[in-house]
Each structure stands twice: as structure tokens, then as C-alpha cells.
Amino acid sequence: MSEEHNPEPGNRILEVRLGATKAEGGTRERVYTVGGAGTFPFLGAGPAAGHPPRIALEICDDTRTWSPIVLREVGDLAEDTGAWAAAAETTFGADMVRLSFTSTRQRGFDDFASLGTTVEEVIGATKYPLIVEGSTEPAIDSEVYRRIGEAAEGERVLLGTAEADRYRSVAASALAYGHAVVAQTPIDINLAKQLNILLHETALPPERIVIDPYTGTLGYGFEYSYSVMERIRSVALQGDADLARPMISSAIDSLNVKEVREADPETADEVAIRWEFYAAFSALIAGAEIVCVRHPGTVALLREALRALLEGSHPQEEAYGDESA
Amino acid sequence: MTSIDTVLASGRERLDEEMDALEGSVGYEETAYALPVTYAVTGMAVHDAASAREAYAASGSSVLVAGECLAAAGYAAEGGEGEPYTGFVPDTVLRRLGYSLVDGSIAGIGLVAGSPDDADAAAAICREMQEKYLLTFLAGGVIKTLTEAGVKVGLEYRLVPLGSTGMAAIHFADIIARVAMMFGGVQPGDTDRLLNYAAERAKAFVIAFPGLEDEEVAVIDGFRVLSIPILTPEGYEGGEWIRVPYLEAVREGMERRGIRVNVVAIPIPMACSPAFEGKSIRKEEMYVEFGGAKAAAFELLRVRPADEVEDGRVEVIGPEVGDLEEGSAVPLAILVDVAGASMKKDYEPVLERRIHTFLNYGEGSWHVAQRDLVWVRLTKDVVRRGVAIADLGRLLASKFRVEFPDLLDAVQVTLVTDRERVEAMLEEARAIYDERDERIAGMKDEDVGTYYSCTLCQTFAPNHVCIITPERPALCGAITWLDAKIAYEIAPAGANQPVEKGELIDPVLGQFEGVNRFVKKASHSAVDRVSLYGMMEEPMTCCGCFECIATILPEVNGIMIVNRDYLGDTPLGMTFSTLAGTIGGGAQTPGFVGISKGYILSDRFLQAENGIERVVWMPSLLRNELKGRLEEKLERMGIPELFDKIADETVAVSVEDLAEFLARVDHPALAMRPLI
Amino acid sequence: MAMKALDIYKLLPKTNCKKCGFPTCLAFAMKLASGKVDVDLCPDLDEQTRELLGGATRPPIRLVAIGAGERSFTVGEEFVLYRHERTFYHQPGLMMQVADTWPEERIEGVVARVRDETFHRVGEDLSVDGIAFRWESGDADRFGGVVGTVEACASVPEVIIADDPEAQAAALAHCGNFQPLIHAACADTAEAMCDLARKYGCALAVRAGDLEELKRLVGLCRDRGVENLMLDPAPATLRDFLARSVEIRRRAVERTDPDLGYPVVFDTVPLGLPDAATALGILKYAGVIIIDELGPASTMAALTLRQNIYTDPQKPIQVTPGLYPVNAPTGSAPVLMTVNFSLTYFTLLGYLEAAGIPCYLFIVDTEGMSVLTAVAGGKLTETLVADAIKTTELENRVDHRVLIIPGYAAPLSGKIEEETGWEVRVGPGDAAEIGEYLETGWEA
Ligand code: SF4
Ligand code: SF4
């Protein structure tokens, strides 16, 4: 069969820096570098191990479509995006917050000013690098990403999400305001590559791109995502520079599946956490450098697991989440 | 009429003098890029007269640097001009502009400078620029001319009044310089990259009107180093400035810088979407039909020189829908003329086939078949809503532009419903079809330097790579070399990539150095070498979509071919589907190869194994399908008797029976060099 | 290196005698090359060829059976490091542990769960595979007693975890005939353990943290006549397990180290982190995973992950074609047609359930192809739809004649209309938009 498991020495995943300190024009107290590995996940040591993966907790500005299980868990925080974001870092122990502007998904959305305000609020409330997700509707993309990008200027946030047929606004925002970009393609290695090439044509530097090969939910096509991540990592290590980028994984529909939705209230948290954990953990093993979850309880579980996987491969501070300025 | 050449010299001189006389501080506010042009060109952050002169010297006396220093000195001394002029555009505003440029909501930028004599002409130009999604900067008297004519200016109108003099034009350059540094990663002082960036990405042009001072002319002329064309509708001649009638200025500017507007809505009273593609129109629903059995009809897409194609022009020659009775059958010629710098004659048939798809996208229009067999219908419903024959033309014109933005610059459509004319043109069209067929049929692998790849099937066969050549169509039968080539032109980052064939390694096997290099990379190192014309040594990988499988039958020293539709047993002892299951998945399996039906007829068909003469068995289904063309080919080869020597399942399904049959008919394979 | 069919063919007798059960030597060679049959089926090979072909075509990892009876399972016979290279064939057995020091009720609780708990997903019943008995008491008789009690009430595959041959013997006296896995032999105990394994015909795990030592143990056991072996790389951390298991699999499938060509056992209990360890075992090549008492939520997630990872990537899971009511539809509810590609089905189902709109999902059989591929490949046709309407008796189930088809099936809309007589509406191409489509656009 193939020689995929023999990475050619010297090939590395590109490093992407997230967050900017005061000295770099931002306000983050921590910044992260993701990527850099020259081996399959958790097999390398020293420089070949690359930088440790990061755990992001997803929050949103409009909770109407968010999982009731998570909303119950976070209580009043859901009403105060800034406080929710702050709690993600301090109480829940996430490496970063991924703020999703779910408000933009409603039909006829036009409250663009609120986006900037919310971004500023979350920036003010947090100290670590951020991921921000804008709209998914081409008609408003331009306005949305400009507002978000502008409000976060200088913070080097990770902006999502660029797709093959609507990447211009995200890329423009990243270029104009100094951010990085999530490039999502539907579980296909060649499409992932094509999008990277398209982004390259906008002059967005490769070290500002994180690939999202799209993560299906556990039990609902997760295996496709798992394998595509393995494949991307594998060809990257063989020298395919267009794919040698860090990956981000978020099984966003985890909490909407039947098993979780219909769990009885007593065990709902347990089920939700496990459903997220098994997918996110597997994504880490397949090569994801950033994994995103929504239930705070999942963060702690992932943290422990990550610690056991990284043992001895990274300097203490970096491995456990501190690359302070 | 002012001669540029004369004015330039005196303009330069005056700039020199003014630079010498420069005093005091020099600079803008609200920017991190000092004097942006100067900074980008020299890497020097100028703040006062002395450093300005130093930078001017360092730039090799660039007129742009001089113009900028002088403008910035004025700023430092007196501030900007104030309302309604914007003067120097601060970084924050610029960032938004740059955003819109990358984002595509602004298609490009233009500068209109000077003082036009004709207010209407200036207003028309600005209106056209607004309509074309361009952001227009204004410098000089033109601003007054426009406002007096009632045209509203301001950023919100995409007409930015930079300043009352032509010298304000320099801000157009500082904008481009900053965009290059902010968005293009151009480092201050890296002139080469700046110029490169401008050449590749600056979607900008200048329209100059008369009334400019000599030094202003010099500065504007300096824009040319940034690959910005200077067009002039009146007042100037000579130099490198381009004279254009004012009505054509905008189009000319856009064309020269490759600025394109994305057409979104198609201005026709019928919906147009892939969702309608499969709708058929029954006779009862139909208002009028064209072609079919009842009237002559054809379609023809041709590439034309740019000056013969007026983009968006649609003409109907003959009766329109209103002149036609309900239920009538009418002749029709659909003539699509296209122009585009990279459009080639070879692409015509492939684009022509899209007429079918596009017309079916229309709600209420329906199209089947191609060339001189077409048949088109319109429903009563849409005709009642006002759809005319011309709308089909509009639909085609805009769809072609939208779908092939990089290939086509202009599309014009003529629809002829006049019987005599259609019939007269039909002959001509048929001659063109024949000519095309001959060309494609005659295309040889050695005539081209580039083959194409396809990696679509890697979704399930991770290391599979198809190499498509003129004489070896893709194994799935769906993609010819020409298809792949055009797919690449349209989507350069797509699944079809050009493969430089490179040095010939083995002419019989069809091994090429470039192909091997490509395959190795695209297969993620799983496959090192591929023979394009053979199946025994390093054959092409099989993904699973092959129309047929060719395998060796060692017992009879021959090759059998089995196609997907044949469900029965084969002399090898495996059915198509078991065979497919064993060799698919993207592996190379010597002795077995997936092929298209078309390839069987090719002169390159498994030539390393003696080609068609080696074939001993194929299912009757396939044999009958290929019969005419295969017999013709064998005739040409001087072995017409071979066709009857190829067995099918009616003669033998076991290798023993096959051997007997082959011996009886004395099949040439028996006497060939052994396959193994 | 694995051999290609043609190379194999060259070594076969080429008589087409059909004794192997295949009509031609070449057909047999093809099967051999894909590792799907054993070379021994051809009786006419000399010893040397047989060995050569066996070494090159036999699965690089030995097939090992655990347990007897209905729930017994096999592991091993894997060929690749990554599922996308081909597929993973034999999913790992999850063995939930009980310790002989536990109170009776606790043991009973676990046993009952292993015996009775199943989760139903995608037409499959998922459950934990068996029980692992851990010797903690230091008392061989007590151990035997516990095994005996459980044996009396549950017939599931078992692992006997005791490094002391005497304790093993005590346990095996009760369950040895049901082929449990003996876990585990080390250098000191290999001999005695081998004797037990031979006596009962059980599989035996060898345990060492160092791969060279593992190989040595394998050699030792094989010399003593035990062929059904498994490897426990004795990891102290998740990181250890990952590194060792990957290395074992790599060397095995590359056929560079035949002594490592055995399935791996992963005892997760000493590591803590039950969820992470179980997931890691599933992902990274464990054949048997000994797990702690995972809660139902964890168990369901773990079993689901296992089902996902062990799906054949080249043959997507298919949903049974038919008519599926969603959100309790009535006769006037919309009918949404789609294909039986599991991912399409589940994605669509998810959005429909979330939207809460009563409707029928009408699944036609495209052999697991997605809409796009099925349309392109001619699998999805108007006759297929018409036939499916008949077999599902759709006409009796709803009181309208409107069919909503996927956006990508639009090219077929006219043909379906003609063939079925139903009015066809083209729905969205993206499942995420179905809720909005039904809310705004649908009226029968
Ligand atoms: S079989 Fe067809 S679709 Fe598949 S890779 Fe080859 S050319 Fe592309
Ligand atoms: S038994 Fe051996 S010799 Fe006979 S057909 Fe099979 S492979 Fe050939």
C-alpha cells in the first residue's frame, strides 16, 4: 500500500500565531502558536512535537439556537456575552473563547453595530486569544466581517469562516485588520487544498490560515472527518505545503443529535459532555490543533486527556496553556 | 490640445524647483505610513524638508515622491482644504476601502482629474463608474463641475472629492501605496515588490481632463510606473497617454486593468436557477416551440475578435413571441458570439454545450439535444408574464459571463427566427460542426505538451490520479482532454490540473518524466510511475468509476474487456463487480486497468500490449455498442476480419471455451509475444 | 511487502484445475493479493512457494478469537495504519472489569449491564463485549469463586487478569472452556501461562513495556506451542500507549517484524482517564480494551465511536430505504425524498427534528450514494423513485401528491413528474435550509 506513514523528515505543519500582546498592538496577556509539528500527533518530542493543541469553548451572542443543556449549565452567563467569555477562561479553564455571532443567522439581520460592541465587550472581558465566527449569508458577509475585523483590530483573532464560495470578506477583514482565518471545506482533502490556493490569491499569507475540514458529529459521519484529518496531516508531512496548516475541529452539531437532545434531564449533561468529548478527543488524535466544544464540562475532561498525551513532550508552561508575553 | 511630451519636461523642472525651495515640516496625520508613497518607495519616513529632499534623491527623483512631499508640506503648514474635500485619506478609512476592494464589493478604483469642459460627459463617466462598482476619486475642477451639475459627491456616493487642484491626485497614489503595504505585505523600501503588487493587483486607472498644471501632469504621468493607465477623452495628446472617446473611457480603463463586475441579477422576467433544470414542458403547457421535428433549429457558439462582440447585446432577427401564434413551431438559430483574451477556438464546443444547461435553468424555458438537433420550448405561463425570445438571449449572455468570468470578456447573442435565414445559416453551421469533429478526432497526444489530471475520485480512492490525454480520455468516460483543459482554465485551483508531460521515457509504454513527477506528488507518493499506454507495467491506478475493465487472460495470451453494464460471468472467472472490488480503491494492479469505452477506439489503446489486436473477449453489449466505430477502425488498420475474432459471452464464458474459439478463428493474439 | 496479483499468478501452477474453488489461477491470485483467502486452498504448491506466498499474502496481524458462543468475537487481521487506506476490519472488544475484592452487588451490577445493556444505532445493536476479571485479593480461590459465580449467570467473553499462574488456573477451572483471554504472561510466568493456554486452547496475552521484550516473549510462547497471542505494551500513560501501539501496528503491517503481528490488548484501568483511554484504544489499534465501569453516557459514546471508526470508508453505511415519519406527521404532511447515504439521511433528519416540522422522509435506494453522486452516476432515476413510491405505498400514506426532491436532484424533476404523476418540487441543496424551506415554501 502507500507509504503514508513515513513522513519525510523536515516537513512541518506551518505555525500560526493567535492573539497579540500589548507590544504587538493588541491587549492579550497570552498568545498562542499552533502547528509546527513534524510528526503525527503526540508521537514526537522536542521541536518535532510542535506546539500543544488548544481547547476552545464556544459561546454565542444570540442563544435561541444554542443547546438548552449548555444554557442551563451556564445560567445567567448566557445573557451577558462578556461575562460568559470571561468565565470560559477563568471558571471553565478553556484556552480560548470562540464567539459565534448567531444573531447574524436570523433572517433580515441588520443590527451591524451590535457586532462591534459585542466584540469589544468580549475583548475587554478576556485575556487569551479569540476565535470569532461571523455570518454565513453572503448578502451580509461584507458588512459583518468588516465590523468584526475592525472592532478586533490588532488582536490577531482567528476569524471564521471562509468557504470556497464566500471567502472574500473574511480574507479582506483578516488582511485589513491583521487577523487569521478559518478555512472550511466539506470533508475533502482536495477542496481544502483548493480553498487555500484561493485564499493565497487574496494575498493572505499562509501562516494566517487554519484549516477546518469540517467535523461531523459522533455517530453521524464523524468517521469521514476523522479520516480526512488524518489524510491532511499525512500528506502535509509528506511535503504538501498547501495542506501543511494547523487544523481546527468543531463537531458543532454534537448537542443537537437525538442521543443528546432526548437524554433525560438527569443525565443530559453527562451525555452532552461525552458526545462532545469523544469527537473532540478523536480529532486531537487525528491531528486537530484547535478543538472546540460548547459544554463547559467537556473542557475539563479534554484538559486532563491532553495533559496525559503531552506528558514530557512540551515545556510545562506551554503545554498547560501559558505562553505569556 | 496640450502635448504631454512638452509639458512633462517643464512639469518636472517645476517640481525640482519646488523641492529645492521646500522648507519646514512635511507630513500627514492619522497615518502610520508617514508619506506613504515615499515610505513605500524609499523606506524613509519623511518629516521635514531636509529629509524630503533626501528621500527625493534616494527615489531617483521620482515625480510621485516630489508630488507627495509638496502636498504633505502644504498639509503640515495649513492643514487640509476642508469641506467638501477629503484631502489625505486617514488610515482607518483607507482600511475600509481596502477591505471592500479585497472583498469584491468595490471592483476597482478610478481617478478623474482635471476640469472637463463638458459637465455631462464628466457626469456620465462618473455614473458609469458607480454602476460598475468602481470607487471614483476626483481631483481638480471636475469636482466643482459635477456638484454644479447636481451630482452628489462623497464617500457614500462612491465619488471621493480629494481636492480642488489636480495635485490632490497624489492621494490616489498614496492610497495604492498604503493598500500595498497593509494588504499586500509590501515592506517599505521594497520598490520591486511595490511595483509588482501594483502591476498584479492594483485595479486602477486614471481619466484625465484638461486644465492640469504642468507639474500636475508630471505627477499623474508618474502613476504609470504603478501600471496605472492614463486615459484622456480631451485636451491631451502624445506621451503614453491613451486617447479615448469619453463614452468608452470607463470600459477601456476596466479592460486594461482586467476589472470585472460580477453580474448578479439577470434582468429578465423569468426566474433562473438550477432548481428548474429538470422541468420538462409538456405540449399542453407550451406556448411556442423551436426546432424539434417540426422546424429547423441549431445553436452555434463562436469566438470572435473583441471589437466584434458587444457585451450584453441581444438581437432577435425575425418574428418575436408576440408575432407568433400559440402552439406554433418555429425555426431558430441561437448564435452566441464570445470574446476573451484567453478564450480559444478549441473551447467552443465545450462552451456550446452549456447553452443546454443555461436554457434549462430558466423557469419556463426548456432545451434538449445539441447542435442542429436542438429543440426549445417556452411555456404559456412565462409568455403571459412577458417573457420574449430576446430574454433567452439575455439569459444566455449573462449566464455565460457569470459562469466563465475569467474566460469571457464579452458575450453577445443573436436569435434568428426568420425561416429563410435559419435555413441558409444551417449549412454553414453544419460545416463548422464537421470541421470541429475532425479536429478533435485528429488530435494526437504528440500534438500537445500538456496533459491534464483529475483527482475528483480521491474522495474515496485516496491516492488515485487520472491522467487525461487527447488519445486517452478519463477512465470514467466523463472527461476528455479538452474538458479537463477548460475546467482548468475556468477553475485554476480545481480538480483538473495541467501536467507538463516532460521528457519522454518510453514511447511504447507511454511513460513521461513530467507525468511521473506529477503522479507521484498527486498520489501522495503512493505511485511513482505510470504507463499511459499499457497495462502490464505500472498501469494507471483505478478509482472505481471506470466504464470498463481490461484484464489479461494469460491462458490465451490475450486481453478481455468487460463493461459495467455486463452482469454475467467472464472467462477470467470474475464478474465486473467482483473485479472492480478487487482492483478499485486507487491502487496500481499490473495486468488490470480501468478504461473508458472511448479509449478502446483510440490508436493509443494499450499499445504496449499490441492494442486492439490483443483483445480476445468483450461482452456482446459492448461489442454491439462499439460495432460501427470499431469496424471502421479495423478497416482502416487493414484487419477487418478481427472484429469477428473477438469472442463474447455467447461464444465463451470459460477460458477453456475461449481458447478453443480463438484457435478456431486463428486469433492473432495467440501468435504474439507472451504477455507474461 | 504485499505482492500484486500478477506476481502471485506467476508462482501458481497455472493449470486452472479449480481445486481452490476459483475458476482460474488468476482469479485465485487476485483474491490472494487482497488478503481475502488463504494460500493453502491451492493444494498443488511446493512447500517453498506456499511459504513465500503465505508470508506475502496472509494478513500481517493474526486473527485471534475471544470467547465462545454467540457473543464471541475475533480481532486482528488488519492491514493498514489508517482506515482511509482500506478499512479496519475487526473492531476491538470492550471488556468491562470487575475485581474479586468488590462486594457482590457491585460485581452483579456490572455483569448485568454487560449482559443486558444494548444501544440501538443505525440498524445495529451496540453493547460492551464482555467481562474482565481482575485478581486483586491475592487469594486464588476467592478469584476462582468470583469467576465461577459470574460464569453461572452470564455467558459473555472474558479476560482473566492475573499475573499469577495459580490464580489463572483457579479462574480457568471455571471458564477455561469458554476461551477467555489469559492476561498476561511475562518473562517469569510465560512457561506456566503457556501450559494453561494450551490446556484450554485459550488466547494468551504477553505483557512488556519494551517492544524487544514483547518479541522475545512472543517467541518463547510460540516455541511452547501457543500461537494465539496478544500483545500488552504495558503503558503507564496515554502517551505510552499511543507510541507503542502505533509502532507495533506499523511494523506489523509493513511486515518488517512478524513477531509483532498480533493484536494488542489495552488495559486502561491503571491509567485513570477512562474516557480518553477507551477512545484512544478504539482509535489506535487495540484489539481488546479493558475498561473500568464506564457510565451509560460514556459507554454509548464509546460504542458509537467504535462503530464510526470501523465503518468501511469505501462502503458508506446505508440506511434502509423506506418511508420514515418525522415529528408525528399526518396525511397532509410534506414528503421529502432523499437517498440512503447515511450521512445525508442523518444530517437531514437532524435538521428536520430540530425544526420540529412533521413530515415524511422518503428514502430511496441509491446503494449508499450521496445525491450528487447518485444523480451523476445514474443511480438515482425516475423509475427508482416510481418503484419506491409503489413499495412504500406512499399514495395511501399521504393525501396529497407532492414530492419534494433534493436540490441536487433538480435535473430529474421533470422525469420524475412524468414517471410518477406526482408534482415535484425542488427543495434546497443544503439540508440546513430545509427548515426554512418548509416553513416558507411548502404547501401541498
Ligand atoms: S475517474 Fe473521472 S472523475 Fe474520477 S478522477 Fe478520473 S477523471 Fe476524475
Ligand atoms: S487450485 Fe491452484 S492450480 Fe488449481 S486453479 Fe486454484 S490456484 Fe490454480
Side-chain angles (χ1 to χ4, degrees), chain C residues 3 17 128 179 243 247 265 293 303 313 364 378 419 438:
Chain C
M3 286 172 84
C17 74
V128 169
Q179 264 99 65
E247 188 61 15
V265 193
E293 253 186 294
L303 292 171
V364 298
E419 184 74 25
L438 289 178

Side-chain angles (χ1 to χ4, degrees), chain C residues 95-116:
Chain C
M95 313 295 274
M96 205 177 270
Q97 79 151 357
V98 297
D100 67 343
T101 48
W102 290 3
E104 225 167 277
E105 313 80 72
R106 187 170 171 199
I107 296 180
E108 273 166 19
V110 171
V111 170
R113 270 190 67 195
V114 172
R115 193 185 50 206
D116 305 329

Side-chain angles (χ1 to χ4, degrees), chain A residues 76-89:
Chain A
D76 293 343
L77 288 177
E79 301 309 311
D80 180 344
T81 317
W84 194 359
E89 291 180 355

Side-chain angles (χ1 to χ4, degrees), chain C residues 13 15-20 25 28 42-43:
Chain C
T15 56
N16 292 347
C17 74
K18 305 183 175 51
K19 282 185 265 186
C20 56
C25 293
F28 182 61
C42 173

